[in-house]
Amino acid sequence: MKALAGLLYAMGNASFGMIARILDVSAVTVMRWIRDEAHALPEPSIPDETQLVMLDEMWHFIQKKTEKSGYGAPLI
């Protein structure tokens, strides 16, 4: 049951509650199974040639948002 719970969660389409209903256990039990398995995994390795790039996309979103809605936007 633990392996099935892990597989369903890893696929990304099932929540703890959904897995709990399928396996007829509590959602807290499923959460503990997933958490314990996650702690057992090794730390992922990051290659040395990997570079960190940070982009500020929020500024673009906010700028576009203020032009089309909110205070001062035309009511027509």
Side-chain angles (χ1 to χ4, degrees):
M1 284 189 359
K2 289 181 184 181
L4 181 58
L7 181 63
L8 289 170
Y9 186 72
M11 289 173 53
N13 296 329
S15 65
F16 292 147
M18 178 188 226
I19 296 168
R21 283 189 297 276
I22 291 170
L23 300 178
D24 197 28
V25 296
S26 73
V28 175
T29 301
V30 173
M31 181 202 58
R32 288 181 181 155
W33 289 347
I34 301 298
R35 184 182 57 198
D36 292 344
E37 288 300 317
H39 287 304
L41 293 173
E43 286 292 322
S45 62
I46 300 173
D48 292 335
E49 64 269 4
T50 302
Q51 296 179 0
L52 178 64
V53 178
M54 296 177 68
L55 301 174
D56 185 12
E57 294 180 16
M58 189 56 109
W59 181 81
H60 297 287
F61 174 76
I62 291 172
Q63 286 297 82
K64 289 178 185 175
K65 200 73 163 162
T66 58
E67 295 170 1
K68 297 179 183 173
S69 64
Y71 179 74
L75 297 175
I76 307 174

